[in-house]
C-alpha cells in the first residue's frame, strides 16, 4: 500500500512536472510515511553470489554497494526503516529516486533542501519562513528521506535535477543514519567524512559559481533517557544512537565543510536544540520517546528557530541568470543570533 501511494504521487505530478507550493507541502507531509527509500525503490544484486552484511560499511566498496533487506538470505541485521526490526541483509544495488522536474517560477529564487527526516520535519516551516510577506521562493525537498551519505553521494546527481544551475541555494544534512548502530545504514566516521567530501566536490562541479551551500549540523539525541512517565514505555533510541557519536560526526562534518572546494555556510541546529534542552539532556519537552525526532507543542527549536537560522543565509540570495560569472563568496559561519529565539524550558 505504501509503494502504491508513491506510484500515485508520481502519476499525479504529471508529465510537465509542475509542482505548486501547496502540492510540495502536501507531498512532504506524506513522504515520511510513504517514501522510505528502503520500501519503494528497486533493489537487486549485480551478481548471483549472495554476500551477507550488517551495514552499508560492509558493502560500499563493491558493485553491490548498499546493505539491503535480503529477507531469508544473508546475515542477521537491524533495519533502519523498521525501527529495530531485525531481518537478514545482503549487499545489493538500490535505485536512486531522481527529482521530478518542475518548471521554476519566473522571478523566484530556487532552493533545494537535501537531508534526512529531520530536514523533512523543518521543511514546512522553512518554506513558510521564506515565502512570508511576499517572499518569492520555490522551495523543494529532494525525494523522500535522503538517509545516509552512502545514499547521498550515489543519488545526488539525480536530486539536483535536469538543470543543477537552477539552484540559488542548497542546504544539506546527513548523520543520524550514518552513526546509528546497529543499523543497516551505519557508516564508520572515516567513511562518512569521505562521502561528505565527495558530495561537496559534486556540488562544486554541478552548481553555478554563485550558488550558496549551507550545511546543517546533526541534531542531538538524549543520553540514557528514562521510560515514558505515562506509558512506562522504554525511550531508549531505536536504532541505537548516542550523543558522543553525534558530537564526533558533527566535528568530522565541519572539518569537511571547512576544507571543501567552495565556501559552505553552516547552521548549527545541534546547538539550537542544546540551548533549549541542555547539554547531555536525558529528557526534554520536545524529544521523541525512542527516536531522534522532535514532537509536541513546544518543538519550536526545530520548527521555527532552525528554519530561521537557515533562512538567514537565504536573505541575500538573488536569482541569477545561468550565464552569471559571479564568484561565490562567504565563509563558514554559525547562526549565533538564533540563540535568543528559543523559549526557556519550564
Amino acid at each position: 500500500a505504501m509503494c502504491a501511494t508513491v506510484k500515485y504521487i508520481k502519476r499525479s505530478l504529471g508529465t510537465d512536472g509542475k509542482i505548486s507550493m501547496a502540492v510540495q507541502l502536501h507531498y512532504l507531509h506524506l513522504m515520511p510515511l510513504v517514501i522510505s527509500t528502503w520500501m519503494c525503490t528497486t533493489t537487486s544484486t549485480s551478481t548471483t553470489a549472495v554476500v551477507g552484511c550488517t551495514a552499508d560499511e560492509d558493502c560500499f566498496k563493491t558493485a553491490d554497494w548498499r546493505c539491503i533487506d535480503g529477507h531469508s538470505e544473508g546475515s542477521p541485521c537491524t533495519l533502519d526503516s523498521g525501527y529495530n526490526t531485525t531481518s537478514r541483509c545482503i549487499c545489493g544495488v538500490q535505485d536512486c529516486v531522481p527529482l521530478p522536474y518542475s518548471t521554476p517560477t519566473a522571478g523566484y529564487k530556487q532552493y533545494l533542501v537535501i537531508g534526512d527526516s529531520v530536514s523533512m520535519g523543518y521543511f514546512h516551516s522553512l518554506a513558510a519562513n521564506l515565502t512570508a510577506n511576499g517572499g518569492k521562493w520555490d522551495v523543494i525537498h529532494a525525494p523522500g528521506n535522503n538517509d545516509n551519505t552512502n545514499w547521498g553521494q550515489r543519488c545526488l546527481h539525480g536530486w539536483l535535477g535536469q538543470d543543477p544551475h537552477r539552484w540559488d541555494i542548497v542546504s544539506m544534512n546527513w548523520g543520524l543514519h550514518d552513526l546509528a548502530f546497529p543499523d543497516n545504514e551505519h557508516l564508520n566516521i572515516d567513511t562518512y567524512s569521505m562521502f561528505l567530501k565527495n558530495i561537496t566536490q559534486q556540488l562544486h562541479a554541478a552548481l553555478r559559481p554563485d550558488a550558496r551551500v549551507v550545511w546543517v549540523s546533526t541534531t542531538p539525541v538524549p543520553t540514557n533517557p528514562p521510560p515514558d512517565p505515562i506509558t512506562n514505555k522504554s525511550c531508549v533510541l531505536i536504532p541505537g544512537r548516542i550523543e558522543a557519536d553525534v558530537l564526533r560526526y558533527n566535528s568530522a562534518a565541519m572539518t569537511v565543510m571547512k576544507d571543501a572546494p567552495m565556501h559552505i555556510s553552516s547552521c548549527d541546529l545541534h546547538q539550537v536544540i542544546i540551548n533549549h534542552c541542555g547539554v547531555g539532556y536525558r529528557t526534554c519537552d520536545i524529544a521523541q520517546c525512542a527516536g531522534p525526532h522532535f514532537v509536541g507543542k513546544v518543538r519550536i527549536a526545530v520548527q521555527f528557530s532552525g528554519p530561521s537560522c537557515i533562512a538567514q543565509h537565504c536573505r541575500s540570495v538573488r536569482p541569477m541568470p545561468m550565464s552569471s560569472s559571479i564568484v561565490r563568496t562567504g565563509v563558514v559561519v554559525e547562526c549565533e543570533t538564533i540563540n535568543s529565539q528559543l523559549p526557556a524550558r519550564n
Side-chain angles (χ1 to χ4, degrees), residues 3-17 19 27 31 34-35 40-42 95-100 143:
C3 293
T5 306
V6 174
K7 292 177 182 178
Y8 167 77
I9 290 174
K10 289 180 178 178
R11 288 199 304 271
S12 67
L13 290 176
T15 55
D16 63 355
I19 311 174
Y27 289 159
M31 280 180 178
V34 303
I35 308 186
C40 300
T41 57
T42 302
D95 291 342
C96 294
V97 181
L99 184 73

Side-chain angles (χ1 to χ4, degrees), residues 85-105:
T85 298
T86 56
S87 184
R88 303 188 77 86
C89 287
I90 59 174
C91 292
V93 177
Q94 187 173 7
D95 291 342
C96 294
V97 181
L99 184 73
Y101 179 74
S102 61
T103 303
T105 306

Side-chain angles (χ1 to χ4, degrees), residues 22 44 71 91 172 185 231 265 305 323:
S44 62
H71 303 289
C91 292
M172 57 182 177
E185 295 184 11
T231 65
S265 300
S305 295
S323 60

